[in-house]
Amino acid sequence: MASAAAPTAAVPTVVPPLEQLRRLAVELRLLLPGLRVGEAQETTKEFNPETFWRKLNEAAVNVAREATTLTEVFSRVPLPSPQETKRFCEQVHAAIKAITAVYYSLPKDRGITLRKLVRNATLDIVGGMAQLVDVLFITPGQSPDSSDLISYNSVWTACQQVPRIPKDNKAAALSMLTKSVDLVKDAHEEMEQAMEECDPYCGLLNDTEDNSDSHSDEEDDRLGFPNNRDLYWSEEDQELIIPCLALVRASKACLKKIRISVAENGKKDQVAQLDDIVDISDEISPSVDDLALSIYPPMCHLTVRINSAKLVSVLKKALEIT
């Protein structure tokens, strides 16, 4: 009797191109949580700033190139073969891993503020690439429409920002302080505009003058229409707003003085001190926002006073640390 036939060799499973894209998007998104809390890699090698920035710029250029290639090949028919898709996906994954590896090589002793800026740039690049892959997976073989272009541009724009990242912790601190000054300036201007108008909700309600005979105030309350005390500031409210505006002006002036002090007197090797200044200064803008929001009617005076006290405390601490 003839012997049993030899077992057939296992045939490797061919993963369809679109499934490969879906898996790639998942893999890229899995990198994001680690990047948000990623620690610097321990190494015995001496850190070379010039080498770091050169590698980071080169990695960003490579990611942008891979984003362009991926968009081109998956925006037309026929789609790439499974084997070609595997190669494209591996190249994208390798480019993303390369730029994350460069980020992880930046030591903490170069400055937490600087690492945050590099981390945020890396997160934008990885997140943008994942978004692009998602779009190409959903709409394969089509000419790039607005959503494709938005996704592609988010990767390209993020990569373009890499050469603009400050190169040391002092420059990074000045960049963050400038951003805080601008945010507080915007909040102050909005508060002044609201004061000039004396009615931040003007135009948002239906004109009820013609219907004054048909509805009483009690009926309006039951129907959910705000009454006057919900829409306008009382004299007591406006008296409280004046010192609030002065406090926000003081916040803006404080941040400007801190920025000038850092620019004129800060040293690049004062890494920890600069990080401390940025950390406390970062609390000023959110505190200003809390105060600004609390002055809108109907105003709760207790909330306004609590938010004012909180902002004063933050400003004092910022000045003490500086």
Side-chain angles (χ1 to χ4, degrees):
M1 185 181 231
S3 61
T8 306
V11 179
T13 304
V14 178
V15 181
L18 295 183
E19 175 61 17
Q20 292 188 52
L21 281 184
R22 188 192 68 78
R23 293 181 183 182
L24 176 61
V26 170
E27 290 173 359
L28 295 180
R29 293 194 188 283
L30 288 175
L31 297 174
L32 296 174
L35 281 172
R36 293 189 182 101
V37 296
E39 297 289 337
Q41 291 176 341
E42 297 292 337
T43 178
T44 57
K45 294 181 181 179
E46 183 178 353
F47 178 77
N48 187 311
E50 290 75 17
T51 301
F52 170 82
W53 291 111
R54 176 178 56 78
K55 288 183 176 180
L56 190 66
N57 291 335
E58 289 174 352
V61 169
N62 192 32
V63 171
R65 182 169 56 247
E66 295 300 333
T68 302
T69 302
L70 200 67
T71 302
E72 289 174 348
V73 298
F74 278 95
S75 296
R76 60 173 182 256
V77 289
L79 296 179
S81 67
Q83 291 75 18
E84 290 174 323
T85 301
K86 184 174 183 292
R87 177 169 57 85
F88 289 130
C89 289
E90 287 175 347
Q91 290 174 179
V92 168
H93 196 270
I96 291 296
K97 291 291 286 184
I99 198 166
T100 58
V102 177
Y103 158 64
Y104 284 127
S105 72
L106 180 62
K108 274 187 175 181
D109 61 14
R110 307 306 293 189
I112 300 300
T113 305
L114 180 62
R115 284 196 93 243
K116 283 181 179 178
L117 293 182
V118 178
R119 178 196 64 194
N120 291 341
T122 308
L123 283 168
D124 288 343
I125 290 171
V126 177
M129 182 64 86
Q131 182 186 14
L132 172 62
V133 176
D134 273 336
V135 171
L136 295 174
F137 164 71
I138 295 170
T139 58
Q142 300 180 16
S143 297
D145 60 13
S146 58
S147 60
D148 287 303
L149 293 175
I150 290 172
S151 300
Y152 167 70
N153 283 336
S154 68
V155 180
W156 183 78
T157 301
C159 292
Q160 243 190 357
Q161 295 304 313
V162 169
R164 299 185 176 94
I165 299 174
K167 300 301 185 289
D168 59 65
N169 208 47
K170 179 181 177 180
L174 288 171
S175 173
M176 296 298 291
L177 290 170
T178 299
K179 181 180 177 182
S180 294
V181 171
D182 291 340
L183 290 172
V184 172
K185 180 182 177 183
D186 290 342
H188 180 248
E189 290 174 353
E190 290 176 5
M191 290 177 69
E192 284 190 325
Q193 183 179 356
M195 272 294 289
E196 290 174 2
E197 294 173 353
C198 244
D199 179 13
Y201 300 122
C202 182
L204 296 182
L205 301 176
N206 294 325
D207 185 4
T208 59
E209 291 182 2
D210 295 337
N211 300 323
S212 59
D213 294 335
S214 59
H215 291 287
S216 67
D217 290 340
E218 292 78 14
E219 288 172 335
D220 283 345
D221 287 341
R222 285 197 301 271
L223 292 172
F225 291 107
N227 54 35
N228 284 343
R229 63 179 177 272
D230 293 328
L231 304 177
Y232 305 104
W233 285 304
S234 67
E235 290 185 6
E236 290 181 352
D237 292 343
Q238 294 189 45
E239 288 177 0
L240 189 58
I241 292 174
I242 293 173
C244 289
L245 273 170
L247 184 54
V248 173
R249 276 196 298 272
S251 303
K252 182 173 64 173
C254 177
L255 276 170
K256 286 183 176 180
K257 292 291 186 181
I258 291 174
R259 183 181 60 183
I260 292 171
S261 178
V262 169
E264 294 180 350
N265 305 311
K267 304 293 190 296
K268 291 182 180 181
D269 59 353
Q270 294 175 314
V271 175
Q273 293 93 327
L274 290 169
D275 286 335
D276 289 342
I277 290 173
V278 171
D279 282 344
I280 186 61
S281 298
D282 280 347
E283 296 182 27
I284 296 178
S285 177
S287 298
V288 167
D289 288 341
D290 289 342
L291 177 59
L293 290 173
S294 65
I295 71 169
Y296 283 86
M299 182 191 290
C300 173
H301 288 204
L302 177 60
T303 301
V304 173
R305 294 181 187 280
I306 290 173
N307 288 336
S308 298
K310 175 187 173 185
L311 177 55
V312 169
S313 175
V314 171
L315 291 175
K316 286 183 177 179
K317 188 175 180 182
L319 291 172
E320 289 170 1
I321 290 176
T322 305

